[in-house]
Amino acid sequence: SAPGKMKVMIVLLVPLLVPFVSAQTFRWGPCPTPMVQPNFELNKYLGKWYEIEKLPASFERGKCIEANYMLRPDKTIQVLNVQTYKGKVRAAEGTAVVQDVKEPAKLGVSFSYFTPYAPYWVLSTDYNSMALVYSCTDILRLFHVDFAWILSRTRTLPAETLYHAKEIFSRANIDVSKMFPTDQQGCDVPIKD
């Protein structure tokens, strides 16, 4: 029967996905569809953002995490993520693209030629102090893996601002209860080799 085959497929698939989702946040059901920033202006968004809080992400384990966005001549966006991990500064370069000019706040980001663009949706930003970013990937519409970030132009944000940011995520049906702060302390001290 079709439902029986589906159950077998899920049982076979889940062990393969466990390593992938072990350090992520994954939930049953398809992705939520939050509203994004209206009239998003990419040029104002470019530049350096510091990661203040996030949902767990296996590729971000360090401290002093920042993201730098620069427009390339071909109109793609260079994404340079920098973090300090085990005493060393590590950088990862990726590419972001606006996938639909009618919805410029819905970007796609990839850090390898071999991986498809992952959603990078700017839900809200004032461009000069804070940005809320969301990414969600459906797996067979059975469950989804999601990421959420609170970014700032400075290494800290007031508690009240963080509270307001989490409210915006929650109103969009994004569970941010597992969000945790990124360590941004002692980041401007040069690292000695």
Side-chain angles (χ1 to χ4, degrees):
S1 70
K5 279 184 186 158
M6 192 68 166
K7 277 186 188 141
V8 169
M9 197 166 93
I10 293 166
V11 169
L12 293 173
L13 194 66
V14 168
L16 299 174
L17 293 166
V18 167
F20 169 66
V21 296
S22 60
Q24 323 300 17
T25 307
F26 88 103
R27 307 180 203 293
W28 295 107
C31 285
T33 50
M35 298 284 286
V36 293
Q37 174 85 10
N39 308 314
F40 179 70
E41 292 180 63
L42 179 63
N43 285 338
K44 286 189 185 175
Y45 187 78
L46 298 172
K48 184 182 287 188
W49 290 95
Y50 297 102
E51 186 182 274
I52 304 301
E53 288 206 19
K54 63 168 171 276
L55 285 178
S58 62
F59 49 87
E60 292 180 336
R61 293 204 177 109
K63 58 179 276 186
C64 306
I65 299 173
E66 60 184 67
N68 299 277
Y69 303 96
M70 288 168 286
L71 201 57
R72 294 190 182 116
D74 67 359
K75 300 285 185 262
T76 62
I77 301 136
Q78 179 198 39
V79 182
L80 190 64
N81 285 352
V82 181
Q83 64 178 323
T84 303
Y85 185 60
K86 294 185 176 173
K88 288 195 169 64
V89 176
R90 297 161 193 253
E93 187 181 332
T95 296
V97 291
V98 173
Q99 294 179 304
D100 178 355
V101 288
K102 291 197 268 326
E103 289 192 288
K106 291 184 177 181
L107 298 154
V109 177
S110 175
F111 282 88
S112 157
Y113 288 117
F114 310 106
T115 57
Y117 284 102
Y120 179 106
W121 291 9
V122 181
L123 303 193
S124 177
T125 185
D126 61 2
Y127 303 103
N128 52 30
S129 68
M130 188 183 70
L132 306 182
V133 177
Y134 183 62
S135 178
C136 187
T137 304
D138 269 332
I139 313 235
L140 303 174
R141 294 191 65 75
L142 296 171
F143 61 92
H144 60 273
V145 178
D146 62 358
F147 302 96
W149 296 271
I150 299 172
L151 306 176
S152 173
R153 294 293 193 186
T154 54
R155 290 198 189 272
T156 57
L157 276 176
E160 192 182 318
T161 306
L162 286 171
Y163 177 80
H164 177 65
K166 289 178 182 176
E167 273 194 322
I168 293 170
F169 281 122
S170 297
R171 281 201 300 267
N173 287 325
I174 298 163
D175 180 356
V176 288
S177 59
K178 289 193 173 82
M179 255 194 172
F180 66 99
T182 298
D183 184 356
Q184 292 285 2
Q185 307 249 304
C187 297
D188 296 315
V189 180
I191 292 174
K192 294 175 182 67
D193 285 331

